Amino acid sequence: MTTTKSDAALLIDGTWEEAEATTEDRDPGTGEVVAELPRGSADDVDRAVSAARRAFGEWSALAASARAKYLIAAADALESDVEDWARLMCREMGKPLAESKIECARAAAILRFFAGEAHRPFGEHYESDNAGTWLFTRRQPTGVTGIITPWNFPAAIPAWKLAPALVFGNTVVAKFADDAAVTSLRVARALYDAGLPKGVLNVVTGPGSEVGAALVEHPEIDAISFTGSTDVGHGILQSASKSAKKVQLELGGHNPVIVRRDADVPAAVAAVALGAFASAGQKCTATRRIYVNRAVYDDFAGGLSERARDLVVGYGLDEGTEMGPLVNEAQLQGVLEALERAAKEGNMQGGRRLTDDGLDKGCYMSPAVLTDLPHDSEFASDEVFGPAVALWPVDGDDEALELANRTTYGLSAAIFTRDLNAAKSFVERIEAGIVHVNSQTAGAEVHVPFGGLAGSGYGPHEQGRAAREFYTEQKTVYLDPAPN
Ligand code: UN1
């Protein structure tokens, strides 16, 4: 599979454009250049926003089902090309092929779900206190939407923002993260090839400090949806609030797991290993903190340590690879440095750069399992975006819950137990937008809401029927007949 120049281009007003400057987009597994990415500018953003504004009137006036047809055609095209698309994802950001394929198929499923929204209710009908009055809510598109996506789910996250934006009648200017922009651009390409009218979807890649900032500050952008780090998200919120934009943020997580004494320990070990090390831990929903009942602590710790030690780290396209490289050198260095600081406060297995067996050209590390850390250590409260997890023994549910709820985050959490009352109490008391009983912390099904509480999110949740909140505005309509 090769990428061509036109795979990496700006899309403005229905035309694929080259930019004056480019950035090298490298395979983190081999160091090879995958593509030369256009470095868009604030001026490109301005042209894209004007195009989106011009396209808004006609696009928003179409029947939703007419808009949905483009999503279905794009889903068909992407689905027929999953293998090639997944290989591109693997080369661009390191996700092993099997995981990449699942994500690509999920992106197509997301487009199909949102196509279906065209035939589901948009508003609600109420009985008025005045007989004869029709009282209902009507939803209209939010407007010209700025969409900023991360590199860690470069197929699924663009799909889950673009699909509702478009089906509900918004026009879009998107900025995809440089580390996986060509993979994300395939979603835009599929919509474009489906015949999307010009200006409805525009894409400007380039540095967040210029392209992202121009998008967030642009007076003609009505709403911004962002997935990424908490720091960047909070900066976006401040800047977007100056022009009172609608803002939706999906931010970091520091997701806890509680393993009770009545848990199925091998199942808990398997789920924690998957939650912590899949995609090399580069998910906002990844598992990071485990509170294990003292009675099963040694069993659990032994099982997890064995699983981490045996995990096959390698190039994502190689058969048998279970964990690929981190996305780039800077991310790897940041993770290794955070782990070095953590190791000084406790014990660490793994957590080292790997260079043997041909891994020296890439950004590889062994998965880290930390034990004996103080509860007030940096690792216990700050997100480390890599394959690293810490375990602590606890004596009971109250202690486990208190520790699990201690961070400023609130994205995802899991409990492993066979006790229904304990599970119910966990669901009620845990500070998390997504709660699992006996399953890993990561994962998001397309038809249900996805979003974090506390510092993990801001604004309406994404996906499922929840996506309507952000991508539409409500009007309440009192409709009375005029007297004859
Ligand atoms: C998942 O757990 O499959 O950026 C989805 C992220 C989240 C998406 C997680 N917004 O990692």
Side-chain angles (χ1 to χ4, degrees):
M1 183 218 41
T2 52
T3 54
T4 64
K5 262 197 161 160
S6 63
D7 286 330
L10 310 175
L11 176 58
I12 300 176
D13 205 12
T15 303
W16 294 97
E17 295 183 11
E18 285 177 20
E20 272 168 32
T22 58
T23 308
E24 271 182 355
D25 178 9
R26 285 187 183 271
D27 180 337
T30 62
E32 283 165 20
V33 176
V34 178
E36 297 285 342
L37 277 182
R39 272 177 82 96
S41 64
D43 177 56
D44 295 324
V45 170
D46 192 48
R47 290 188 301 119
V49 174
S50 301
R53 180 58 65 194
R54 281 193 300 277
F56 181 71
E58 275 187 37
W59 179 248
S60 57
L62 288 177
S65 59
R67 295 191 293 257
K69 284 189 180 138
Y70 299 100
L71 305 191
I72 294 166
D76 289 345
L78 290 168
E79 226 157 37
S80 69
D81 211 19
V82 157
E83 178 78 31
D84 187 65
W85 194 21
R87 293 179 80 83
L88 171 64
M89 182 188 300
C90 179
R91 292 180 59 220
E92 220 186 358
M93 52 72 72
K95 196 173 286 196
L97 188 59
E99 280 178 67
S100 297
K101 277 192 206 165
I102 291 171
E103 188 189 334
C104 290
R106 171 172 164 190
I110 290 168
L111 291 169
R112 287 194 204 289
F113 171 81
F114 283 108
E117 280 295 78
H119 284 155
R120 295 184 197 110
F122 272 38
E124 286 171 335
H125 193 104
Y126 297 80
E127 279 299 292
S128 167
D129 292 341
N130 294 318
T133 298
W134 283 358
L135 180 54
F136 57 95
T137 59
R138 181 189 149 75
R139 287 184 182 264
Q140 297 185 187
T142 300
V144 178
T145 310
I147 284 176
I148 304 177
T149 63
W151 47 262
N152 65 337
F153 284 91
I157 294 181
W160 89 43
K161 292 185 194 292
L162 294 180
L166 296 175
V167 83
F168 290 124
N170 302 273
T171 56
V172 174
V173 180
K175 179 196 135 8
F176 302 137
D178 274 4
D179 278 301
V182 191
T183 304
S184 302
L185 274 160
R186 288 268 181 114
V187 182
R189 169 79 54 184
L191 288 160
Y192 173 89
D193 290 346
L196 203 66
K198 70 173 187 168
V200 169
L201 169 60
N202 306 271
V203 182
V204 182
T205 49
S209 54
E210 183 173 357
V211 171
L215 203 52
V216 173
E217 284 159 19
H218 203 292
E220 286 292 314
I221 289 273
D222 299 305
I224 292 282
S225 178
F226 167 82
T227 297
S229 72
T230 301
D231 282 355
V232 174
H234 286 169
I236 285 176
L237 182 58
Q238 271 196 343
S239 154
S241 64
K242 286 185 197 139
S243 45
K245 289 181 173 50
K246 193 170 181 180
V247 177
Q248 176 182 59
L249 305 175
E250 285 300 339
L251 307 173
H254 205 343
N255 312 298
V257 166
I258 294 175
V259 182
R260 293 185 85 244
R261 63 191 306 156
D262 64 349
D264 175 338
V265 172
V269 167
V272 164
L274 198 60
F277 307 136
S279 292
Q282 300 170 116
K283 298 183 185 183
C284 58
T285 45
T287 305
R288 311 258 185 238
R289 298 176 291 134
I290 329 284
Y291 301 103
V292 189
N293 189 285
R294 217 174 278 281
V296 292
Y297 182 84
D298 287 345
D299 236 14
F300 180 89
L304 186 66
S305 144
E306 195 180 315
R307 182 71 193 102
R309 205 174 33 239
D310 293 348
L311 206 75
V312 182
V313 180
Y315 189 44
L317 288 180
D318 288 348
E319 190 96 20
T321 291
E322 291 179 301
M323 192 176 99
L326 270 66
V327 70
N328 61 38
E329 190 59 36
Q331 283 290 133
L332 175 66
Q333 286 311 327
V335 169
L336 291 174
E337 281 161 24
L339 291 178
E340 212 170 287
R341 293 193 294 276
K344 288 195 183 121
E345 294 187 88
N347 289 310
M348 178 165 73
Q349 172 194 312
R352 314 250 178 261
R353 183 168 201 147
L354 298 176
T355 52
D356 290 348
D357 304 322
L359 300 185
D360 54 317
K361 293 196 181 64
C363 307
Y364 297 95
M365 63 175 284
S366 50
V369 179
L370 293 146
T371 48
D372 303 319
L373 288 182
H375 286 300
D376 62 355
S377 65
E378 181 192 325
F379 189 92
S381 58
D382 293 359
E383 183 184 39
V384 172
F385 213 60
V389 73
L391 321 183
W392 288 272
V394 290
D395 288 311
D397 291 340
D398 286 342
E399 185 190 1
L401 265 159
E402 192 271 315
L403 291 166
N405 279 337
R406 252 194 207 182
T407 70
T408 54
Y409 294 104
L411 184 54
S412 173
I415 190 167
F416 286 82
T417 181
R418 291 184 169 97
D419 182 319
L420 182 59
N421 289 340
K424 190 166 174 284
S425 161
F426 175 75
V427 171
E428 284 164 0
R429 292 166 66 192
I430 192 74
E431 176 94 322
I434 300 149
V435 184
H436 293 261
V437 178
N438 296 320
S439 57
Q440 63 147 325
T441 55
E445 293 196 29
V446 47
H447 56 301
V448 293
F450 177 92
L453 309 182
S456 287
Y458 180 87
H461 286 186
E462 300 195 90
Q463 298 229 84
R465 301 237 71 206
R468 272 178 311 171
E469 285 305 321
F470 181 73
Y471 291 104
T472 63
E473 297 287 4
Q474 283 199 82
K475 281 180 180 166
T476 304
V477 182
Y478 294 81
L479 197 153
D480 280 290
N484 284 324

